[in-house]
Amino acid sequence: MVVWTDQERAFIQDIFSKLNYEDAGPKALQRVLIVYPWTQRYFGGFGNLYSAEAIKSNPMVAAHGIVVLHGLDKAMKNMDDIKNAYADLSVLHSEKLHVDPDNFRLLADCLTIVIAATMGSSFTASVQAAWQKFIAVVVSALSRQYH
Amino acid sequence: MVEWSDSERKTVASVWGKINVGEIGPQTLARVLIVYPWTQRYFGTFGDLSNAAAIQGNPKVSAHGKTVLNALDKAVKNMDNIKATYAQLSQLHCEKLNVDPGNFKLLANCLTIIMATAFGPAFTPEVQATWQKLLSVVVSALTSQYF
């Protein structure tokens, strides 16, 4: 089981309390599609993804970004059992959506950058360490049902 | 050879022009040592690395952070020949310093996050994409003499 210090828990809760899902969710998913363009293959039904501008104004991308970001709520509310909290979502991504688990890491990286850009200097090294630990545990839990 | 568009070249020059190596270098190395604590194994002679505050106040960490970030200047000034530019540094890291090349990516990640906190919304997805491209070419060049 992952061990969290009180300080790490406080940092994570603080980040979520300041998180604007309607802003960060779309931005994170847009970045994944722009910075790692091969990920667009998963979104064939989303319409125009032909340029960074198109991606940034695409309403389906924005809506889906919010859905994905809310998926992190499970982890924030169940920090002591993230593995089990994500068992169903992991099965879904593996067996129904056929998402290569490496993409979880790409989304995690882009979300970290969006949060860093929003929080500026308050995204200190210690906050970053706690956040990256949290997101690594989520990525690991999402990848777990693949084998 | 890596292809760079005019817009990517401009972005790299403009971003690099705004980076204060004296400030960003120390912060980058400090973050690597804090967020990925196993990397401290390479710095046994640096003195007190026992917690985040110690690391961030450690003068050897600062000095070395500047050295490392200054070396990125080589890439910015030789974008069309990054591989050859880093050949000697690659050999040094492999044969003399015995640094696991996985660590180059960790440093690149921390640098990217610091840039996001410093630039805020100006670190757009397009800027991120260009910057990550530059860093992955540098990481690849630094790894090129390992095999």
Side-chain angles (χ1 to χ4, degrees):
Chain A
M1 198 185 89
V2 180
V3 180
W4 302 97
T5 64
D6 287 340
Q7 191 189 61
E8 286 169 335
R9 290 179 196 270
F11 282 155
I12 299 301
Q13 296 302 321
D14 186 56
I15 290 174
F16 274 93
S17 71
K18 297 188 172 107
L19 197 59
N20 178 350
Y21 290 80
E22 281 73 33
D23 181 62
K27 280 188 175 147
L29 186 56
Q30 288 157 13
R31 277 189 195 242
V32 172
L33 298 170
I34 293 168
V35 179
Y36 311 110
W38 58 89
T39 56
Q40 293 166 25
R41 72 184 300 289
Y42 292 106
F43 301 101
F46 275 29
N48 188 353
L49 300 177
Y50 297 128
S51 67
E53 289 315 310
I55 290 169
K56 284 193 269 199
S57 51
N58 185 309
M60 290 181 93
V61 171
H64 195 63
I66 299 172
V67 166
V68 168
L69 193 54
H70 273 295
L72 279 183
D73 290 342
K74 268 194 226 288
M76 191 253 301
K77 300 202 169 91
N78 294 284
M79 279 176 71
D80 292 310
D81 199 11
I82 292 180
K83 194 162 78 178
N84 281 319
Y86 280 99
D88 285 345
L89 267 177
S90 181
V91 169
L92 173 79
H93 282 75
S94 165
E95 296 181 16
K96 191 157 171 265
L97 305 175
H98 303 305
V99 175
D100 187 320
D102 201 52
N103 292 295
F104 304 145
R105 185 185 50 85
L106 303 183
L107 183 74
D109 285 350
C110 283
L111 180 56
T112 305
I113 286 173
V114 167
I115 288 175
T118 308
M119 290 178 70
S121 53
S122 57
F123 194 65
T124 62
S126 308
V127 171
Q128 179 188 337
W131 175 256
Q132 289 201 210
K133 175 176 167 178
F134 174 78
I135 208 86
V137 173
V138 172
V139 165
S140 168
L142 272 170
S143 311
R144 236 188 144 257
Q145 301 300 326
Y146 273 69
H147 306 285
Chain B
M1 200 185 87
V2 180
E3 299 275 339
W4 300 97
S5 68
D6 285 340
S7 133
E8 286 172 329
R9 289 177 197 270
K10 277 201 198 94
T11 299
V12 168
S14 153
V15 169
W16 188 245
K18 299 192 177 98
I19 286 182
N20 177 347
V21 172
E23 237 179 62
I24 303 288
Q27 284 177 34
T28 305
L29 185 56
R31 277 197 193 233
V32 173
L33 297 170
I34 292 167
V35 179
Y36 311 110
W38 59 87
T39 55
Q40 292 166 26
R41 74 183 301 288
Y42 291 106
F43 302 100
T45 57
F46 273 29
D48 189 2
L49 299 178
S50 53
N51 58 52
I55 290 169
Q56 282 166 321
N58 186 310
K60 286 177 149 175
V61 170
S62 278
H64 196 64
K66 284 180 205 155
T67 304
V68 167
L69 201 59
N70 265 322
L72 205 49
D73 192 60
K74 278 192 225 285
V76 173
K77 306 245 154 61
N78 293 283
M79 282 174 69
D80 291 311
N81 205 357
I82 292 180
K83 192 158 82 174
T85 301
Y86 281 100
Q88 279 185 309
L89 266 176
S90 180
Q91 264 192 318
L92 174 79
H93 282 76
C94 172
E95 293 175 19
K96 189 155 173 267
L97 304 175
N98 303 128
V99 175
D100 186 310
N103 293 294
F104 303 145
K105 188 151 197 289
L106 303 185
L107 188 87
N109 284 346
C110 284
L111 178 57
T112 304
I113 285 174
I114 286 176
M115 288 166 69
T117 62
F119 286 79
F123 197 63
T124 63
E126 294 89 331
V127 170
Q128 179 190 336
T130 300
W131 190 254
Q132 288 197 207
K133 177 176 170 177
L134 178 74
L135 287 181
S136 35
V137 174
V138 170
V139 165
S140 170
L142 273 170
T143 312
S144 67
Q145 300 301 318
Y146 272 69
F147 305 109

